Amino acid sequence: MNRNKKTNIKKIVLTTIATAGLISVVVLAPNALQVIRQFSGKKKYSRSVYVNSTISRLLDKGNIEFINRGNKKFIRLTKKGERELLKYKLGDLKIEKPRRWDKKWRIVIFDIKEKRKRTRNILRKTLSRLGFVKLQNSVWVFPYDCEELIIMMKSDLFVGKDVLYMKVDSIENDRWLKESFNLK
């Protein structure tokens, strides 16, 4: 199976577990198989093999854990699994670009402590992937409205007070920025 299909199955399994909270192992496999059916291209392998191997890898990496309640076995997402799912969620973000630029810059600045370095790096990678330009390590600029998206990112990453969003009329010597974004 190619890497994209494995990633999609992993994302689907993590999302399913996250959505349900605590999910019975007996319930997970049949429902996941219905969703995953579209991703399996090879007929000689059972779909359950893909789900089971994905669950095995997630368990080995500490993204999920099995717990027993009475005589039933359940799966739940760990904190590490929640962070892994967040990467997928942030990877799906997109900013709609309007037809015209309103001649205002959107600036995101942050000061995230060293002990949260991983979160800071996720934020930087996400801003870069979305098309923001780095002015400094913790100062990023974008020409289009993205306030709602930044609010969501702040909430998802638990960095509300550490990240500021600004809308400004001008940035000194911004000609190179305009060229970077193909603006006039």
PDB file of all heavy atoms in Angstrom, residues 6-26:
ATOM      1  N   LYS A   6      -1.740   4.754   3.526  1.00  0.00           N
ATOM      2  CA  LYS A   6      -1.436   4.463   4.931  1.00  0.00           C
ATOM      3  C   LYS A   6      -1.723   5.675   5.800  1.00  0.00           C
ATOM      4  O   LYS A   6      -2.291   5.560   6.878  1.00  0.00           O
ATOM      5  CB  LYS A   6       0.033   4.045   5.095  1.00  0.00           C
ATOM      6  CG  LYS A   6       0.333   2.658   4.599  1.00  0.00           C
ATOM      7  CD  LYS A   6       1.793   2.324   4.818  1.00  0.00           C
ATOM      8  CE  LYS A   6       2.117   0.964   4.259  1.00  0.00           C
ATOM      9  NZ  LYS A   6       3.530   0.620   4.405  1.00  0.00           N
ATOM     10  N   THR A   7      -1.337   6.851   5.318  1.00  0.00           N
ATOM     11  CA  THR A   7      -1.583   8.089   6.061  1.00  0.00           C
ATOM     12  C   THR A   7      -3.076   8.324   6.209  1.00  0.00           C
ATOM     13  O   THR A   7      -3.547   8.700   7.282  1.00  0.00           O
ATOM     14  CB  THR A   7      -0.914   9.277   5.346  1.00  0.00           C
ATOM     15  OG1 THR A   7       0.488   9.039   5.286  1.00  0.00           O
ATOM     16  CG2 THR A   7      -1.159  10.579   6.079  1.00  0.00           C
ATOM     17  N   ASN A   8      -3.844   8.121   5.135  1.00  0.00           N
ATOM     18  CA  ASN A   8      -5.290   8.315   5.193  1.00  0.00           C
ATOM     19  C   ASN A   8      -5.943   7.348   6.174  1.00  0.00           C
ATOM     20  O   ASN A   8      -6.830   7.737   6.916  1.00  0.00           O
ATOM     21  CB  ASN A   8      -5.920   8.167   3.805  1.00  0.00           C
ATOM     22  CG  ASN A   8      -5.630   9.358   2.923  1.00  0.00           C
ATOM     23  OD1 ASN A   8      -5.402  10.462   3.408  1.00  0.00           O
ATOM     24  ND2 ASN A   8      -5.623   9.136   1.631  1.00  0.00           N
ATOM     25  N   ILE A   9      -5.507   6.103   6.166  1.00  0.00           N
ATOM     26  CA  ILE A   9      -6.067   5.118   7.095  1.00  0.00           C
ATOM     27  C   ILE A   9      -5.730   5.517   8.528  1.00  0.00           C
ATOM     28  O   ILE A   9      -6.583   5.490   9.414  1.00  0.00           O
ATOM     29  CB  ILE A   9      -5.565   3.690   6.771  1.00  0.00           C
ATOM     30  CG1 ILE A   9      -6.151   3.234   5.431  1.00  0.00           C
ATOM     31  CG2 ILE A   9      -5.948   2.718   7.886  1.00  0.00           C
ATOM     32  CD1 ILE A   9      -5.577   1.941   4.900  1.00  0.00           C
ATOM     33  N   LYS A  10      -4.493   5.933   8.752  1.00  0.00           N
ATOM     34  CA  LYS A  10      -4.069   6.374  10.082  1.00  0.00           C
ATOM     35  C   LYS A  10      -4.926   7.556  10.534  1.00  0.00           C
ATOM     36  O   LYS A  10      -5.414   7.601  11.664  1.00  0.00           O
ATOM     37  CB  LYS A  10      -2.591   6.759  10.046  1.00  0.00           C
ATOM     38  CG  LYS A  10      -2.017   7.190  11.363  1.00  0.00           C
ATOM     39  CD  LYS A  10      -0.525   7.485  11.178  1.00  0.00           C
ATOM     40  CE  LYS A  10       0.118   8.038  12.400  1.00  0.00           C
ATOM     41  NZ  LYS A  10       1.524   8.388  12.161  1.00  0.00           N
ATOM     42  N   LYS A  11      -5.117   8.512   9.643  1.00  0.00           N
ATOM     43  CA  LYS A  11      -5.924   9.693   9.954  1.00  0.00           C
ATOM     44  C   LYS A  11      -7.364   9.286  10.268  1.00  0.00           C
ATOM     45  O   LYS A  11      -7.966   9.785  11.217  1.00  0.00           O
ATOM     46  CB  LYS A  11      -5.881  10.658   8.768  1.00  0.00           C
ATOM     47  CG  LYS A  11      -6.666  11.923   8.959  1.00  0.00           C
ATOM     48  CD  LYS A  11      -6.525  12.806   7.723  1.00  0.00           C
ATOM     49  CE  LYS A  11      -7.374  14.042   7.793  1.00  0.00           C
ATOM     50  NZ  LYS A  11      -7.275  14.837   6.570  1.00  0.00           N
ATOM     51  N   ILE A  12      -7.925   8.394   9.496  1.00  0.00           N
ATOM     52  CA  ILE A  12      -9.302   7.943   9.700  1.00  0.00           C
ATOM     53  C   ILE A  12      -9.441   7.221  11.038  1.00  0.00           C
ATOM     54  O   ILE A  12     -10.377   7.487  11.800  1.00  0.00           O
ATOM     55  CB  ILE A  12      -9.764   7.030   8.540  1.00  0.00           C
ATOM     56  CG1 ILE A  12      -9.926   7.861   7.270  1.00  0.00           C
ATOM     57  CG2 ILE A  12     -11.061   6.313   8.883  1.00  0.00           C
ATOM     58  CD1 ILE A  12     -10.062   7.032   6.011  1.00  0.00           C
ATOM     59  N   VAL A  13      -8.497   6.346  11.358  1.00  0.00           N
ATOM     60  CA  VAL A  13      -8.557   5.611  12.623  1.00  0.00           C
ATOM     61  C   VAL A  13      -8.433   6.582  13.796  1.00  0.00           C
ATOM     62  O   VAL A  13      -9.217   6.531  14.745  1.00  0.00           O
ATOM     63  CB  VAL A  13      -7.479   4.504  12.690  1.00  0.00           C
ATOM     64  CG1 VAL A  13      -7.394   3.913  14.086  1.00  0.00           C
ATOM     65  CG2 VAL A  13      -7.775   3.409  11.670  1.00  0.00           C
ATOM     66  N   LEU A  14      -7.456   7.499  13.741  1.00  0.00           N
ATOM     67  CA  LEU A  14      -7.292   8.482  14.821  1.00  0.00           C
ATOM     68  C   LEU A  14      -8.536   9.356  14.967  1.00  0.00           C
ATOM     69  O   LEU A  14      -8.996   9.613  16.079  1.00  0.00           O
ATOM     70  CB  LEU A  14      -6.059   9.356  14.565  1.00  0.00           C
ATOM     71  CG  LEU A  14      -4.701   8.714  14.800  1.00  0.00           C
ATOM     72  CD1 LEU A  14      -3.578   9.629  14.310  1.00  0.00           C
ATOM     73  CD2 LEU A  14      -4.491   8.362  16.267  1.00  0.00           C
ATOM     74  N   THR A  15      -9.085   9.817  13.847  1.00  0.00           N
ATOM     75  CA  THR A  15     -10.274  10.665  13.885  1.00  0.00           C
ATOM     76  C   THR A  15     -11.467   9.906  14.449  1.00  0.00           C
ATOM     77  O   THR A  15     -12.236  10.450  15.254  1.00  0.00           O
ATOM     78  CB  THR A  15     -10.608  11.202  12.477  1.00  0.00           C
ATOM     79  OG1 THR A  15      -9.471  11.907  11.976  1.00  0.00           O
ATOM     80  CG2 THR A  15     -11.806  12.131  12.496  1.00  0.00           C
ATOM     81  N   THR A  16     -11.629   8.664  14.046  1.00  0.00           N
ATOM     82  CA  THR A  16     -12.732   7.838  14.548  1.00  0.00           C
ATOM     83  C   THR A  16     -12.639   7.674  16.057  1.00  0.00           C
ATOM     84  O   THR A  16     -13.621   7.859  16.775  1.00  0.00           O
ATOM     85  CB  THR A  16     -12.733   6.447  13.872  1.00  0.00           C
ATOM     86  OG1 THR A  16     -12.840   6.621  12.457  1.00  0.00           O
ATOM     87  CG2 THR A  16     -13.880   5.590  14.370  1.00  0.00           C
ATOM     88  N   ILE A  17     -11.438   7.367  16.536  1.00  0.00           N
ATOM     89  CA  ILE A  17     -11.245   7.184  17.976  1.00  0.00           C
ATOM     90  C   ILE A  17     -11.453   8.512  18.710  1.00  0.00           C
ATOM     91  O   ILE A  17     -12.104   8.561  19.760  1.00  0.00           O
ATOM     92  CB  ILE A  17      -9.855   6.595  18.280  1.00  0.00           C
ATOM     93  CG1 ILE A  17      -9.762   5.170  17.705  1.00  0.00           C
ATOM     94  CG2 ILE A  17      -9.574   6.568  19.787  1.00  0.00           C
ATOM     95  CD1 ILE A  17      -8.359   4.583  17.708  1.00  0.00           C
ATOM     96  N   ALA A  18     -10.926   9.592  18.156  1.00  0.00           N
ATOM     97  CA  ALA A  18     -11.067  10.903  18.796  1.00  0.00           C
ATOM     98  C   ALA A  18     -12.529  11.333  18.851  1.00  0.00           C
ATOM     99  O   ALA A  18     -12.985  11.885  19.851  1.00  0.00           O
ATOM    100  CB  ALA A  18     -10.246  11.946  18.046  1.00  0.00           C
ATOM    101  N   THR A  19     -13.270  11.085  17.792  1.00  0.00           N
ATOM    102  CA  THR A  19     -14.669  11.484  17.734  1.00  0.00           C
ATOM    103  C   THR A  19     -15.511  10.701  18.741  1.00  0.00           C
ATOM    104  O   THR A  19     -16.360  11.257  19.424  1.00  0.00           O
ATOM    105  CB  THR A  19     -15.237  11.269  16.312  1.00  0.00           C
ATOM    106  OG1 THR A  19     -14.437  12.021  15.393  1.00  0.00           O
ATOM    107  CG2 THR A  19     -16.675  11.708  16.211  1.00  0.00           C
ATOM    108  N   ALA A  20     -15.234   9.416  18.836  1.00  0.00           N
ATOM    109  CA  ALA A  20     -16.013   8.560  19.736  1.00  0.00           C
ATOM    110  C   ALA A  20     -15.540   8.659  21.182  1.00  0.00           C
ATOM    111  O   ALA A  20     -16.267   8.306  22.095  1.00  0.00           O
ATOM    112  CB  ALA A  20     -15.935   7.112  19.260  1.00  0.00           C
ATOM    113  N   GLY A  21     -14.312   9.146  21.384  1.00  0.00           N
ATOM    114  CA  GLY A  21     -13.759   9.194  22.744  1.00  0.00           C
ATOM    115  C   GLY A  21     -13.203   7.841  23.103  1.00  0.00           C
ATOM    116  O   GLY A  21     -12.090   7.495  22.754  1.00  0.00           O
ATOM    117  N   LEU A  22     -13.986   7.047  23.752  1.00  0.00           N
ATOM    118  CA  LEU A  22     -13.598   5.687  24.122  1.00  0.00           C
ATOM    119  C   LEU A  22     -14.393   4.770  23.217  1.00  0.00           C
ATOM    120  O   LEU A  22     -15.612   4.857  23.143  1.00  0.00           O
ATOM    121  CB  LEU A  22     -13.973   5.461  25.594  1.00  0.00           C
ATOM    122  CG  LEU A  22     -13.421   4.250  26.286  1.00  0.00           C
ATOM    123  CD1 LEU A  22     -11.902   4.327  26.348  1.00  0.00           C
ATOM    124  CD2 LEU A  22     -13.975   4.177  27.698  1.00  0.00           C
ATOM    125  N   ILE A  23     -13.714   3.889  22.521  1.00  0.00           N
ATOM    126  CA  ILE A  23     -14.417   3.086  21.519  1.00  0.00           C
ATOM    127  C   ILE A  23     -14.108   1.611  21.717  1.00  0.00           C
ATOM    128  O   ILE A  23     -12.965   1.235  21.971  1.00  0.00           O
ATOM    129  CB  ILE A  23     -14.047   3.567  20.094  1.00  0.00           C
ATOM    130  CG1 ILE A  23     -14.985   3.018  19.050  1.00  0.00           C
ATOM    131  CG2 ILE A  23     -12.639   3.231  19.745  1.00  0.00           C
ATOM    132  CD1 ILE A  23     -14.897   3.752  17.732  1.00  0.00           C
ATOM    133  N   SER A  24     -15.117   0.803  21.638  1.00  0.00           N
ATOM    134  CA  SER A  24     -14.952  -0.629  21.813  1.00  0.00           C
ATOM    135  C   SER A  24     -14.192  -1.198  20.635  1.00  0.00           C
ATOM    136  O   SER A  24     -14.433  -0.837  19.487  1.00  0.00           O
ATOM    137  CB  SER A  24     -16.322  -1.302  21.915  1.00  0.00           C
ATOM    138  OG  SER A  24     -16.195  -2.705  21.855  1.00  0.00           O
ATOM    139  N   VAL A  25     -13.269  -2.101  20.904  1.00  0.00           N
ATOM    140  CA  VAL A  25     -12.490  -2.728  19.840  1.00  0.00           C
ATOM    141  C   VAL A  25     -13.415  -3.480  18.886  1.00  0.00           C
ATOM    142  O   VAL A  25     -13.233  -3.458  17.680  1.00  0.00           O
ATOM    143  CB  VAL A  25     -11.424  -3.687  20.428  1.00  0.00           C
ATOM    144  CG1 VAL A  25     -10.699  -4.445  19.336  1.00  0.00           C
ATOM    145  CG2 VAL A  25     -10.436  -2.906  21.283  1.00  0.00           C
ATOM    146  N   VAL A  26     -14.451  -4.069  19.396  1.00  0.00           N
ATOM    147  CA  VAL A  26     -15.403  -4.814  18.568  1.00  0.00           C
ATOM    148  C   VAL A  26     -16.141  -3.874  17.621  1.00  0.00           C
ATOM    149  O   VAL A  26     -16.409  -4.203  16.482  1.00  0.00           O
ATOM    150  CB  VAL A  26     -16.419  -5.561  19.471  1.00  0.00           C
ATOM    151  CG1 VAL A  26     -17.464  -6.269  18.650  1.00  0.00           C
ATOM    152  CG2 VAL A  26     -15.697  -6.527  20.378  1.00  0.00           C
TER     153      VAL A  26
END
